[in-house]
Amino acid sequence: MKRIIFVVFFSVLLAVPVHALDITAPEVPESVQSRMPSNRESFGQGLLEILQDALAHFRPDLKEASGVCLGVTAAMVTVTVIQSFSGSAQRISNLAGTVAIAAILLQSAHSLIYLGTQTVTELSEYGKLLLPVLTTALAAQGGVTTSSALYAGTAAFDAVMSSLISKILIPMVYLFLALAAAGSAVGEDLLKRLRDMVKGCMIWILKTILYVFTGYLAITGVVSGTTDAAAVKAAKLTISGAVPVVGGILSDASEAILVSAGTVKNAVGLYGLFALAAIWLSPFLKIGVHYLLLKLTASACGIFGSKQMTDLVCDFSSAMGILLGMTGAVCLMLLVSIFCFLKGAA
């Protein structure tokens, strides 16, 4: 009787279906689904589709940025003409010109700052869903220690970075712009020094976090690899020039990207890379075109406009550059981590 019971018991156990480890990437937000590529099997082709989609929306962004810069130029020309006919009204015309330029730029800056904040939030939230999946996939292939170190480091730095951006750096951007406008209006040196101090503090915070992050990756050994030296140099130059403020720091991790980019075969990793690119690329281009056109406008206005108003345009351009640095830092930090996961899974 006992033998019959044991046979039945083990037969039931053996009859229970056994499934292989099923790992799928988390779905992207609904607002981003239309930007995802149709070809998700090739890294190069998928990335090209995302870039083409972002460039398709580039024309309206260029038109909007051009309109803002033309308004600034018109205000600068008007003030210059008034000053040429009435030298005694120079102070009043400078004040009126500063108020007009600040009003034009603040409206667009507010929408871009909101877009940057939203992009950082979406990147961080998706990273929180994707990183545990990649950790599970790498641990299932035997990389338990590497996956744990990568997950712990990236999750911690991502949480710190996103929290600092939303609670400290974004308010500091508004403070920087307010000090820039006030300093340009009244010409007070104290306000200009405070403006420079706030700008330096924002840059220092961003760079410090990223230096610690890349140092953590180097210490844990997950960014080491071997690839063509010329390709590494080209990637570092590209990343350094494309992202203001922090590009030079993150370019040091470009070797990990190059080592893994040619061997990306993991479906979860591919989907995650495409999702991050789809979330980040379009807003980055929109903020970037405003940043570049404001720099060109400041250079042009410096030829005929007053120094105070030209400096104000430069300050708004610097604010957009810092905003680009924030969004670029969060995205590239997650991208480097994903490539490190894929490299460990190779």
Side-chain angles (χ1 to χ4, degrees):
M1 187 63 183
K2 289 183 179 180
R3 290 181 180 180
I4 296 175
I5 293 175
F6 277 120
V7 169
V8 172
F9 176 73
F10 284 111
S11 298
V12 171
L13 287 181
L14 292 174
V16 175
V18 178
H19 297 279
L21 185 62
D22 185 17
I23 300 175
T24 57
E27 289 291 329
V28 296
E30 291 184 6
S31 59
V32 185
Q33 287 180 358
S34 60
R35 304 179 200 164
M36 291 293 286
S38 57
N39 184 353
R40 299 176 187 176
E41 297 180 357
S42 170
F43 176 67
Q45 290 296 324
L47 195 59
L48 182 61
E49 283 189 41
I50 296 174
L51 181 59
Q52 289 173 342
D53 179 76
L55 292 176
H57 298 86
F58 184 72
R59 188 173 179 179
D61 297 337
L62 181 61
K63 184 178 180 180
E64 179 185 346
S66 300
V68 171
C69 292
L70 285 174
V72 170
T73 305
M76 193 85 72
V77 169
T78 302
V79 171
T80 304
V81 171
I82 292 174
Q83 290 177 348
S84 64
F85 286 101
S86 178
S88 59
Q90 182 173 359
R91 185 179 182 85
I92 297 175
S93 59
N94 263 337
L95 178 59
T98 299
V99 172
I101 291 173
I104 294 171
L105 293 176
L106 276 172
Q107 185 175 4
S108 63
H110 176 70
S111 63
L112 292 173
I113 291 171
Y114 175 77
L115 176 64
T117 306
Q118 187 180 34
T119 303
V120 167
T121 301
E122 288 182 353
L123 287 170
S124 180
E125 291 300 319
Y126 189 77
K128 291 175 183 177
L129 298 175
L130 180 64
L131 289 176
V133 176
L134 292 174
T135 303
T136 303
L138 181 55
Q141 297 183 45
V144 178
T145 304
T146 302
S147 63
S148 300
L150 267 175
Y151 176 75
T154 306
F157 282 107
D158 176 59
V160 170
M161 177 72 81
S162 59
S163 179
L164 281 175
I165 288 175
S166 62
K167 296 180 180 178
I168 296 178
L169 292 179
I170 292 299
M172 288 181 72
V173 171
Y174 281 111
L175 177 61
F176 169 75
L177 293 177
L179 290 171
S184 177
V186 302
E188 183 65 43
D189 289 337
L190 177 60
L191 293 174
K192 295 178 181 178
R193 287 196 294 269
L194 288 173
R195 173 203 65 187
D196 294 338
M197 184 180 70
V198 172
K199 178 182 176 181
C201 185
M202 287 189 290
I203 294 174
W204 180 84
I205 291 173
L206 276 177
K207 287 188 173 182
T208 299
I209 295 174
L210 291 177
Y211 273 128
V212 176
F213 174 69
T214 53
Y216 173 82
L217 293 182
I219 291 172
T220 54
V222 294
V223 296
S224 61
T226 56
T227 189
D228 182 67
V232 172
K233 184 177 180 181
K236 287 185 176 182
L237 289 173
T238 302
I239 296 174
S240 179
V243 185
V245 181
V246 299
I249 303 172
L250 288 170
S251 66
D252 294 335
S254 58
E255 186 172 357
I257 295 178
L258 285 178
V259 168
S260 302
T263 58
V264 174
K265 298 177 182 178
N266 185 297
V268 175
L270 266 177
Y271 189 92
L273 292 172
F274 292 150
L276 291 180
I279 293 171
W280 172 74
L281 190 55
S282 186
F284 185 83
L285 289 178
K286 182 172 184 176
I287 300 171
V289 71
H290 281 77
Y291 166 71
L292 292 175
L293 287 183
L294 282 176
K295 287 184 73 70
L296 291 175
T297 303
S299 300
C301 291
I303 300 173
F304 60 86
S306 70
K307 186 178 184 304
Q308 284 178 284
M309 289 185 287
T310 302
D311 287 344
L312 179 59
V313 180
C314 288
D315 289 335
F316 272 85
S317 174
S318 297
M320 295 303 101
I322 293 172
L323 190 61
L324 282 175
M326 294 178 194
T327 57
V330 175
C331 182
L332 292 177
M333 185 170 66
L334 290 171
L335 284 176
V336 169
S337 296
I338 291 175
F339 277 114
C340 289
F341 273 110
L342 298 180
K343 176 187 165 190

